Structure formats: C-alpha cells, structure tokens
Amino acid sequence: MESMISKETLQALIPQKAPFVMVDALYRFGENALTAGLTVTEGNIFTTEGKFTEPGIVEHMAQSVALYTGYQYYLKQEQAPTGYIGSIKEVSITRLPENGEKLVTTVSVLQEFMGITLVDIVTSINNEPIAKSQMKTVLAK
C-alpha cells in the first residue's frame, strides 16, 4: 500500500512535529473515514526494547484522527485549526508492534457536530486488529 501524499505534505497537516510524529502514510480518505499508517522504527521515541509501546499506539491513533481533520481542510485549501482530544475510551491493545511492522489504522467517524468529532479507531498489522479505541476530538476556536 502506498501513501496518497508525501511525508512532507502529511507532516504539514498535523500539529505534531518531529520527533513526535506518529503517522507516516495516508492510504485512504473518504467522507467519513481515513486509513493512515506508521512503520515502527527503533529510533521512534515510543519504541523500547524493539517494541512500540502503548502510549505510542494511542498517540498514533490520535494523530490519525488529526490527519483526518487536516486532510479535510487541505482539500478545501484552508488552514486546519488545532484540535484537542476531548476523551479517550474503550482502549484495547492486544499486542505491541515490533520494529519494522507497519501499523494500518482506520478512523471511522461516528458523529461530527460543531467542531466535535466522535470516532472509532482500529489499528491492525497484516489485517490483524491489535488495538481499538473510541475518541472524541474538539477543534479550538
């Protein structure tokens, strides 16, 4: 699977900057969904002893949501507002990714209203779900 946009463009669409960038690919974008990715590397700040840690997975999920919003604004040729995580619930992580593995994360929008977005998120490796969550994000005014 190849990214729809360059890493440079992708990084311009999220507020995080290196070394805190936890998405490196945008695979699909639709009206109510996005699929993003990350290849786990030894140099990642959330990698310990060859494994990508739980906080890294949750941050990857959150940045995938940020990428959804950023790409929406990019398509409209507008500057994306900064967003914040309003809540995270139902986080389930069944295994930690190892160096070299590719995370593929699908964000499914359940509701969007007045700058608040509620999403379901599933992160997989080789089509095997390894993490699930539900997040609510809020755009800054």
Side-chain angles (χ1 to χ4, degrees), residues 51-68:
K51 297 216 183 248
F52 194 54
T53 61
E54 290 92 342
I57 294 170
V58 173
E59 183 60 29
H60 166 70
M61 291 173 148
Q63 288 187 26
S64 295
V65 177
L67 182 57
Y68 172 81

Side-chain angles (χ1 to χ4, degrees), residues 14-140:
I14 60 172
Q16 295 80 9
K17 301 302 171 218
F20 208 70
V21 174
M22 298 299 135
V23 290
D24 62 10
L26 172 58
Y27 298 125
R28 287 187 205 96
F29 178 83
E31 186 176 335
N32 291 310
L34 167 136
T35 303
L38 175 70
T39 300
V40 177
T41 62
E42 183 63 43
N44 189 298
I45 61 172
F46 288 114
T47 299
T48 303
E49 298 178 7
K51 297 216 183 248
F52 194 54
T53 61
E54 290 92 342
I57 294 170
V58 173
E59 183 60 29
H60 166 70
M61 291 173 148
Q63 288 187 26
S64 295
V65 177
L67 182 57
Y68 172 81
T69 301
Y71 196 69
Q72 277 183 317
Y73 280 83
Y74 172 77
L75 292 175
K76 296 188 282 188
Q77 298 181 344
E78 295 177 14
Q79 181 73 32
T82 301
Y84 301 95
I85 297 172
S87 68
I88 301 173
K89 69 178 196 175
E90 301 175 21
V91 176
S92 168
I93 299 172
T94 56
R95 82 170 179 90
L96 297 179
E98 297 179 15
N99 285 340
E101 289 189 308
K102 292 181 187 279
L103 305 181
V104 176
T105 297
T106 300
V107 174
S108 301
V109 177
L110 302 175
Q111 285 184 315
E112 269 187 298
F113 183 71
M114 295 183 65
I116 299 172
T117 304
L118 178 64
V119 298
D120 272 338
I121 308 164
V122 177
T123 298
S124 300
I125 298 171
N126 296 324
N127 295 317
E128 171 200 341
I130 62 138
K132 296 179 182 182
S133 180
Q134 190 173 87
M135 291 186 188
K136 187 181 294 182
T137 60
V138 181
L139 295 180

